Amino acid sequence: MKALVFHGPGQIAWEEVPDAHLVEPTDVVVRMEATTICGTDLHILKGDVPAVTDGRVLGHEGVGTIVAVGGGVQRHAVGDRVVVSCISGCGVCTSCRSQNPSHCLAPEGASGIGWVLGHLVDGTQAELVRVPFADTSLHALPASVPDELAVLLSDILPTGFEIGVQYGHVRPGDTVAVVGAGPVGLAAVATCALHGAAQVVAVDRDRHRLDVAKELGATLSVDARADWKAEIMGVTDGAGVDVAIECVGVPETFTMCTELVRPGGHVANVGVHGRPVELALQDLWIRNITITTGLVNTTTLPMLLRLVAAGKLPVEAFVTHRFALSDVLSAYRTFGSAADTHALKVLMTA
């Protein structure tokens, strides 16, 4: 089969690799019909995720059809169309039972890490993928949900909602600032309404992304190159926002969030950071601020899938570019140059 293979920082190739096959009784093999690129994949390419080694097939999002099923799989069968969760949890360990499959203790990949696809085992940017723990890591798709919406459920929608909105404890009537209007930030914008946010402020340097944020539910867009702090303080009567959601993964935007949040508020870090961030604890300790971090669990995926199927989430604007799977290198170039191409999610189909 062909797959997108990582060969060290800055080096990827679409090349022939051995076919994905069943290893454990709880595995399935999925023929990929649609996949996409995550910002985390770009972090891998930059060398920010050293656990990803030479020869790894990248990708942790996708939609496909099951072509082989292990003897221990009970909920899925050959021919089922499914969405692949970016988290592979066994469902029975202490972490999984406490609703933290992102830290599954099974030995797949490495004990304590549930994100294994495209990280510690071969991933979804391929013609075939082995999916561990299929019963808890795959979700059957209704025919009414097209690939380009279903693929958003693998990662970005659960990530924006769980690690941004839920971890940020967004409550009815809150004002929320989402710093970074890339795909995950836009997912946070789109799902803030599920918790009743009154105002959602999108902050970015890219005017196109800010315009999309308004389409997805942002009530205000703020150019990060301007006087962002004064503008946001102006719409909160000088108090600051109730929740600041960081969706970039650089020190400057994390610090921005700590400066925007009101006393007693929440900073929810969603971005993948590749270098240390200075925490001004000497200033923050007295402000009663809660700071959360996290790796998505995708426990909300079934609920979000029902909302997408019912047309209750405005997610049609996410996919901006489409490629054949075999043209994945062009897709990476487009996604990696988003400031010029206006790419949000790039869809690659078999």
Side-chain angles (χ1 to χ4, degrees):
M1 71 177 193
K2 288 288 191 73
L4 193 280
V5 182
F6 176 74
H7 289 299
Q11 300 179 64
I12 50 175
W14 177 251
E15 62 190 39
E16 194 73 29
V17 299
D19 283 357
H21 61 278
L22 300 173
V23 175
E24 301 291 344
T26 50
D27 292 347
V28 305
V29 174
V30 176
R31 178 183 294 114
M32 297 306 299
E33 291 161 1
T35 186
T36 185
I37 304 169
C38 180
T40 305
D41 295 320
L42 298 186
H43 281 281
I44 291 170
L45 271 183
K46 288 167 58 181
D48 291 344
V49 190
V52 182
T53 55
D54 186 1
R56 177 67 62 228
V57 175
L58 297 184
H60 52 265
E61 304 165 270
V63 177
T65 298
I66 296 174
V67 295
V69 176
V73 176
Q74 298 180 358
R75 297 176 58 187
H76 302 287
V78 170
D80 287 353
R81 178 172 171 263
V82 291
V83 59
V84 180
S85 168
C86 64
I87 298 298
S88 303
C90 71
V92 297
C93 72
T94 302
S95 292
C96 286
R97 289 189 177 191
S98 63
Q99 296 297 295
N100 282 295
S102 59
H103 295 285
C104 177
L105 297 172
E108 182 68 52
S111 180
I113 297 293
W115 168 42
V116 296
L117 291 172
H119 177 207
L120 304 174
V121 305
D122 288 341
T124 59
Q125 291 168 10
E127 293 175 333
L128 298 169
V129 62
R130 176 181 77 93
V131 180
F133 310 121
D135 282 338
T136 48
S137 304
L138 294 175
H139 300 266
L141 283 170
S144 62
V145 179
D147 289 352
E148 64 182 55
L149 300 187
V151 77
L152 306 175
L153 293 156
S154 290
D155 185 352
I156 66 164
L157 283 178
T159 295
F161 181 59
E162 293 176 19
I163 309 305
V165 177
Q166 288 190 328
Y167 276 33
H169 290 271
V170 174
R171 297 178 297 181
D174 276 355
T175 295
V176 180
V178 178
V179 178
V184 172
L186 292 172
V189 168
T191 55
C192 273
L194 299 180
H195 278 211
Q199 294 189 94
V200 180
V201 182
V203 185
D204 203 288
R205 295 181 299 179
D206 187 311
R207 186 70 252 170
H208 172 72
R209 290 186 170 192
L210 290 175
D211 290 342
V212 175
K214 295 293 287 288
E215 292 179 34
L216 295 174
T219 54
L220 176 67
S221 62
V222 173
D223 190 332
R225 296 168 298 185
D227 193 348
W228 48 266
K229 188 171 184 178
E231 189 167 356
I232 293 174
M233 289 300 173
V235 299
T236 59
D237 296 323
V241 299
D242 300 288
V243 182
I245 301 176
E246 198 285 330
C247 295
V248 181
V250 297
E252 294 80 4
T253 48
F254 179 84
T255 299
M256 181 186 294
C257 287
T258 65
E259 294 178 2
L260 289 176
V261 71
R262 65 167 176 80
H266 290 75
V267 173
N269 183 86
V270 182
V272 177
H273 288 263
R275 53 194 168 106
V277 176
E278 182 176 327
L279 183 65
L281 204 54
Q282 73 279 4
D283 300 322
L284 295 174
W285 74 270
I286 202 170
R287 294 175 57 203
N288 295 65
I289 290 169
T290 300
I291 298 174
T292 58
T293 67
L295 173 62
V296 66
N297 286 297
T298 65
T299 51
T300 63
L301 194 159
M303 178 272 290
L304 294 169
L305 172 56
R306 291 192 295 272
L307 291 173
V308 170
K312 300 295 185 181
L313 278 178
V315 292
E316 289 78 10
F318 277 89
V319 174
T320 55
H321 295 74
R322 294 163 178 81
F323 298 86
L325 181 55
S326 59
D327 200 19
V328 61
L329 295 178
S330 295
Y332 264 86
R333 286 191 291 270
T334 297
F335 188 65
S337 303
D340 298 321
T341 63
H342 294 164
L344 293 174
K345 292 299 279 184
V346 296
L347 186 74
M348 298 168 288
T349 54

